[in-house]
Amino acid sequence: MQKVLIVDDEEVLRMLIEDTLEDLENVEIHTAENGAEALTKLSGQLYDLVILDYMMPEMTGIEVLEALDIEQKNAMPILMLTAKAQENDRSKARDAGARFFMPKPFSPMELLQIVEGILHENSETL
């Protein structure tokens, strides 16, 4: 069973992402509404994919990534959702450990395709 963690401060977006991914087979979905909750869920546990919002109050997605150790970041694909489409912002996220990006607003079908591809690739490397 593959595990996906969705981290976004906007409840409507968390629910949209969860609804989009709920029909994936053998995928268990977890959610966090802020960076601190995400770090609690990530402590001592690896996910097959983390979908992480860039801009959240109190702790940004970048700060969440910076709080993770290098082994966690290397072991988990991170998909950064962002309304910040500037190359400088993408560079910061990449430097912090994000491997994939998706601009907001996004198409649920496009998100589903990207997630399926990441999970498929991840399952082949196990």
Side-chain angles (χ1 to χ4, degrees):
M1 177 80 63
Q2 291 183 298
K3 294 187 297 186
V4 174
L5 177 62
I6 301 165
V7 186
D8 199 302
D9 60 307
E10 294 180 48
E11 182 178 10
V12 172
L13 269 174
R14 277 195 320 273
M15 290 172 59
L16 172 64
I17 297 167
E18 194 169 4
D19 288 348
T20 300
L21 304 182
E22 73 182 355
D23 290 333
L24 291 174
E25 291 185 22
N26 298 315
V27 174
E28 185 178 300
I29 299 171
H30 300 243
T31 63
E33 64 183 51
N34 58 53
E37 185 180 351
L39 289 176
T40 299
K41 291 189 177 207
L42 288 165
S43 102
Q45 179 164 221
L46 292 177
Y47 285 84
D48 297 286
L49 173 62
V50 177
I51 300 173
L52 182 62
D53 185 18
Y54 190 110
M55 293 174 38
M56 294 183 288
E58 298 173 36
M59 180 179 252
T60 67
I62 299 295
E63 291 168 330
V64 170
L65 290 175
E66 289 171 344
L68 297 176
D69 64 43
I70 193 74
E71 289 82 22
Q72 281 180 297
K73 287 189 267 195
N74 287 338
M76 293 183 296
I78 310 289
L79 170 60
M80 184 73 76
L81 297 178
T82 180
K84 297 173 81 84
Q86 308 287 16
E87 183 54 40
N88 182 39
D89 297 316
R90 284 179 174 237
S91 181
K92 277 188 208 173
R94 220 180 343 270
D95 291 347
R99 287 193 239 164
F100 304 94
F101 299 89
M102 175 158 258
K104 285 183 180 181
F106 57 85
S107 153
M109 291 311 297
E110 185 180 356
L111 175 67
L112 181 61
Q113 290 175 334
I114 289 171
V115 168
E116 286 177 324
I118 293 168
L119 292 176
H120 179 73
E121 182 180 307
N122 204 27
S123 69
E124 287 184 346
T125 60
L126 296 177

